[in-house]
Structure formats: C-alpha cells, structure tokens
Amino acid sequence: MKAKAFDIRLFKRILKYTKPYKTVFYGVIAAAILLAVFASLRPFLLKQTIDHYIKPHDQNGLLFYITLMGIVLLLEGIFQFFFVFWANLLGQNIIKDIRTKLFKHMLSFRMKYFDNAPVGQLVTRSVSDIEQIARIFSQGLFMIISDLLKMLACLIIMFYMNWKLTWIVIAAMPILVYITRIFQRKMQVAFEEVRNQVANLNTFVQERVTGMKIVQLFNREEIEHEKFKEINQKHNVAWIKTILYNSIFFPIADIISSLTLGFVVLYGGFHILDGDKFTTFGDLFSYTMFIGMLFNPLRQIADKFNEMQMGMIAANRVFDILDTQEDVQQTGTIKAKHFAGNISFKDVRFSYIKDEEVLKGISLEVKSGETIAIVGSTGAGKSTIINLLNRFYEIDSGTIAIDNQNINDFTLSSLRTQIAVVLQDVFLFADTIYNNITLNNDAISREQVIAAAKKIGVHDFIMNLPKGYDYNVKERGVMLSSGQRQLIAFLRAYVSNPSILILDEATSSIDTYSEELIQRATETITKDRTSIVIAHRLATIVNADKIIVMHKGQIVESGTHHELVNKADGYYKNLYDSQFSEAI
C-alpha cells in the first residue's frame, strides 16, 4: 500500500504510542514554545540596543542589554538541550515499544507466512524501518512545530517593529512555499523508492550470505556479483535522485532569501536616507536576522517534512505486518500437562496452496507408547503430518486429536511443550551448547542437562569440546559437524521431557560414529514414549511398532516391517528394495 503525501489516520495511529510518555511529549511542546519566544527576542533586543544605546552612546544601557541578550541566549541553549533530548528520548521509547510488539506479533505467525515472506525484508522492517519511525519525532514533527512557532513569534515581533519591511518579507514567502511543496512531493516519491531498494538489497545480501556455501560450491561468485551490482545500482540511482532534488532546491531557496534581504535593505536604506523615522538602523540589523530565522526554517521544513514522510512510509510498512492476521488461532483453553500419547488423524485434508492438496483424507491411529515410522518418496506428505500435529499450519478439514481431545482445544504453548521435534536440518543459535540445549529455559538446570547427556551417551562428546557445555557453536552451529548438531538436537528434545517425540529425518546425513551415538540416543529417548519417526535409516524402520507408507498425500500401506516387506509388489517392498537393500 502506497503512503499518501500525509496520511492523517496513519499519523494518529503513530501518536497513540506517545500515550505512555505524555510527560515527555508535553515537555517537548513546552520547550518548543519557549524556544520560539527566546529565539525571536534576540533580534528585537539587538534593535533596541542599536537604536537606543549604541547610537546615543549610552554605555550603561548598552551593558545592560548585552547582559540581557546573554541571559536570553543562555536560556535558549538550555531549552534547546531539553527540546532535542526529550524529542529523541520520546522517539526511541516509541520504537522500543513498536519493535517489541512487532517481534511478538511475528512470533505468533503461522509457518505459511514465513514460507512467503523474504527474511531480509522482515529484518529491514524490524530494524531500519522502525528506526526511521523515531525520526518522525526527533527530526520531523517536533522540529516542524518548533520552526513554525519561531516563525510565528518572529512575524508578530516584525509587524510590531516595522510593518512595511515585514510585508516585503511576507511577499517573498509564498514563492518559497510553492517551491518547497514541489520539492517535498518529488522527495516523497524518491524516498519511497529508496526504502524499496533498501529492502531489496537487504533481502539479496541476507540470502547470499546465508547460502554462501552453495554460491561457492557451484562457482556462482561472478554471477551473484553481477546481480548484486545491478541491485546496488538501483539503490544508488534512488539515492542520487534525492541528492539531485536537494541540489536544485537549496540554492534556489538561498537565492530567494538573499533577494528578499536585498530588497529589505534597499527599501529600508532609502527610507533612512530620506529621513523616515519609522525605519531605523536597528530595523535593518534585526531584519537580517529575522529573514534568516524565517526563511531557513521554511526551506528546512521541506527537509524535515521528508524525514517525517520517510518515517510515515516506514511506519506504514511496519503496520502492514502488525495488521497481518497470519497468527495461529489460539482459541484453545485446555492446558496440556501430560499426554498419554494416543494420536488420531481422521480424514485430514490440507493444502499449502489453495486447491493443491498435499494430504488427501489421511486417517491414522497411534497408540500410547508406540513408535511408528512414516516412509514415502519426497513430497508424499510425511513432514506435513508433523507440521499439522504441532499446529504450524491449520488443516483444511478433518480432525487431529491427542488422547481423544481435538488439538485445537489445547492452548498452543502447552501443546507444543508436550511435543518435541528433532529435525534433519538442526538449527543452532550463536550461543553456548548449554543454552542451545535449554533454549534459555530457567526450569532446566545444568545438572539435569549433564545427567540427560550421560544417559543418552553424548556427555563425553560435549566435554571433549573446548569449554564443554559453554562452547560457543557460532551462527547456525557452524563449529560442529552435522552429526554433532544432531546429537545436540536429541539432547534438547530429551531434556524437555516431552509426551510425544518426533524425529523428522533426524538420522540422515551423518557419519558412522555419530550414527552409533544417535542410534543409542534414539533408543533411550523413544523408550516408553509415543514416537513418530520420518524414516530414513533402515534400523529405525525395522524396529518400529508400525510402518505407515505414504504416496502422493495418501496412506497406501501400513503394518510392521515383516508384514510389509513380504507383501508382493507393495509400495514399501519396492521402496525397501530400491533404497534400503544395499544398506543390509
């Protein structure tokens, strides 16, 4: 959605975030008013000094007014400090609240949302776009208010001093306002393009850095470099447009300001030479200051309005995410404390993309304490079953129940607490092994982790690493092998003491040594616990209580390994013969 030149509804929505900080908000307004008063007093005091004390050679009066101007200048500096500090403080507090709200909102999204949303774009929205919102207050709104108040105060004093000279100044102001408006419109379009290109650049860089191994393995460095140059060039062009508009506008504004000053000096000078007492030397001196105080804010208001507009555009993007209703429906009220582990799928249908069913009326039963294996070719729907059980996605129709209770009736957090999943692609955070195991859950002590590690046979492997459980595995666990990451994932699942365990291709792509450890760990953590295994390794399939064979979103066979392998021309037998016979 494209932002308007000034979207009042959007602006009101942003202002709602100032409510917890009303004291600071009104403090900034008060400081802006006092700044306007003290700033406009300086030229007036200069006029009085020149006309009434310098010209008549009144030394005592001159000293008094110089002291008075010093006091006014000091007060202006003090309130300038409070104005800038409070405006920035308010902006930072507001974006802190918005960023927290945005992150919490994204945590509730269904996996479907993240399937379609580029990670780099979400990072841009959460970091740089939100940071830009702060500039609405630090560089935009309050600066504009302060400048307008200063201009109003100056005009009042100027009319009081010399209304003839003031009309000359006012006559030039509409020209500058008109040029400023054109500049603002051009800059709005340019800044929106800049934000788009920043998001594209962040998305591209994030994806290539994450997938650097693939880039280098397939020798795509030059290709990706050229693509980056193209995206970077578009980003560069977008910024150059803003530079061009600034380069045109500010010299024109300076010329108008200088011409206005020239007319004031010319007109006032002739009147002084003609002996007109209404115009004085003090007027000319003070008007040189007044014109700068009127025209500089007027031309800078365009720049500050653009800062505000960039913040509005950024806020519009952030609110688009906040308004996205992709969260998992949390209508359940039952808090799952512990499951016996009876799982039931009844005529479950599901599609990631509308009208393209991945599961076509799946029905299956898993009894408490059973270990079942799900096998099938890629795309058969094996992992989808796991995703639906955890409610990462919502089913199209049918029911999924645990212990005869629809999973939608459970609170989402308690449901997922009772289900542990070990994935093939283990994700580890850039943190210690201990924190990656507990995921910073204070309820799990180090003693519990060590005891669990010893029980499943991974304690020695961890202690052989530098710093043991305090070893930092770096981003995505790059300091560990794939097998070691799998062992950490097994331990992570085990210490959570789940009612139901899911192993999704968790024993693939590992070395022989790690396989032996994982096999031992598998036997330990699946004992007396309902377990679902997306099968890959032969030993896991053979030992399962029941094997479910899937093909194109349907269950085509089920039974024990012995039953299925002896079924002539069966799906499992063909799959077994083609994929597993060499492993025996």
Side-chain angles (χ1 to χ4, degrees), residues 90-101:
L90 181 65
Q92 289 302 316
N93 282 331
I94 287 170
I95 65 169
K96 175 199 68 176
D97 294 345
I98 294 177
R99 184 179 283 125
T100 301
K101 184 177 181 180

Side-chain angles (χ1 to χ4, degrees), residues 156-169:
I156 291 172
I157 294 178
M158 288 168 68
F159 269 111
Y160 172 77
M161 287 169 48
N162 192 317
W163 62 269
K164 292 181 180 179
L165 295 181
T166 303
W167 277 116
I168 295 175
V169 177

Side-chain angles (χ1 to χ4, degrees), residues 141-428:
L141 174 65
F142 292 123
M143 288 294 183
I144 293 172
I145 291 174
S146 177
D147 286 342
L148 289 175
L149 289 173
K150 284 179 185 177
M151 292 169 64
L152 178 62
C154 287
L155 284 172
I156 291 172
I157 294 178
M158 288 168 68
F159 269 111
Y160 172 77
M161 287 169 48
N162 192 317
W163 62 269
K164 292 181 180 179
L165 295 181
T166 303
W167 277 116
I168 295 175
V169 177
I170 290 177
M173 290 178 70
I175 301 173
L176 187 57
V177 170
Y178 177 72
I179 295 172
T180 299
R181 182 59 178 161
I182 294 175
F183 170 71
Q184 184 272 323
R185 287 175 177 172
K186 294 289 186 182
M187 289 296 283
Q188 177 208 344
V189 176
F191 277 137
E192 190 164 358
E193 178 63 19
V194 165
R195 298 310 305 165
N196 286 331
Q197 295 305 327
V198 166
N200 292 338
L201 194 64
N202 285 347
T203 299
F204 183 88
V205 171
Q206 188 274 334
E207 287 182 344
R208 270 57 185 185
V209 170
T210 302
M212 187 60 69
K213 183 180 289 186
I214 298 299
V215 171
Q216 294 183 353
L217 280 173
F218 288 88
N219 196 30
R220 287 184 57 85
E221 291 91 339
E222 287 300 320
I223 296 173
E224 297 300 336
H225 177 242
E226 291 302 318
K227 289 175 70 176
F228 177 81
K229 284 171 62 177
E230 181 181 341
I231 295 173
N232 196 35
Q233 178 63 22
K234 290 180 180 179
H235 177 259
N236 178 255
V237 169
W239 269 113
I240 287 176
K241 282 184 181 179
T242 68
I243 296 170
L244 175 63
Y245 295 146
N246 277 292
S247 300
I248 294 172
F249 171 74
F250 285 107
I252 292 175
D254 283 337
I255 290 172
I256 294 172
S257 177
S258 299
L259 287 174
T260 304
L261 178 59
F263 279 118
V264 166
V265 172
L266 183 65
Y267 180 84
F270 276 122
H271 275 262
I272 291 173
L273 293 176
D274 289 342
D276 183 4
K277 295 182 178 179
F278 186 73
T279 304
T280 65
F281 283 107
D283 289 334
L284 295 184
F285 273 98
S286 62
Y287 268 69
T288 60
M289 293 180 65
F290 275 129
I291 289 172
M293 292 173 66
L294 281 174
F295 281 39
N296 286 341
L298 191 61
R299 72 174 191 177
Q300 289 173 9
I301 278 177
D303 192 41
K304 291 166 186 174
F305 192 88
N306 283 323
E307 288 286 353
M308 193 164 153
Q309 183 63 35
M310 283 188 71
M312 297 277 280
I313 292 170
N316 194 58
R317 296 174 187 274
V318 171
F319 289 147
D320 274 346
I321 299 178
L322 284 172
D323 293 338
T324 300
Q325 297 301 317
E326 283 288 346
D327 53 319
V328 179
Q329 297 177 7
Q330 300 196 44
T331 55
T333 56
I334 301 174
K335 189 172 182 180
K337 295 182 178 179
H338 182 76
F339 291 138
N342 295 295
I343 302 171
S344 171
F345 279 64
K346 292 183 180 179
D347 196 27
V348 174
R349 295 182 178 274
F350 173 75
S351 54
Y352 292 103
I353 302 172
K354 191 177 181 180
D355 298 326
E356 295 182 18
E357 282 191 339
V358 176
L359 296 184
K360 304 171 182 178
I362 291 291
S363 295
L364 63 90
E365 299 284 338
V366 184
K367 295 179 181 179
S368 175
E370 275 190 339
T371 296
I372 70 164
I374 303 177
V375 300
S377 56
T378 302
K382 304 185 299 296
S383 294
T384 300
I385 289 178
I386 308 309
N387 289 332
L388 297 181
L389 187 62
N390 280 280
R391 292 196 63 201
F392 290 137
Y393 300 87
E394 300 292 344
I395 61 176
D396 298 337
S397 63
T399 58
I400 303 175
I402 299 177
D403 295 345
N404 298 317
Q405 188 74 51
N406 193 312
I407 61 172
N408 292 334
D409 296 337
F410 297 109
T411 61
L412 195 61
S413 60
S414 68
L415 172 70
R416 290 178 177 169
T417 299
Q418 294 302 319
I419 303 173
V421 183
V422 180
L423 301 172
Q424 175 184 358
D425 184 18
V426 177
F427 188 94
L428 298 181

Side-chain angles (χ1 to χ4, degrees), residues 428 433 461 465 471 473 476-485 488:
L428 298 181
I433 284 182
F461 135 67
L465 295 171
Y471 180 61
V473 300
R476 299 183 68 89
V478 295
M479 303 304 291
L480 303 177
S481 69
S482 59
Q484 290 173 326
R485 290 196 294 271
I488 298 301

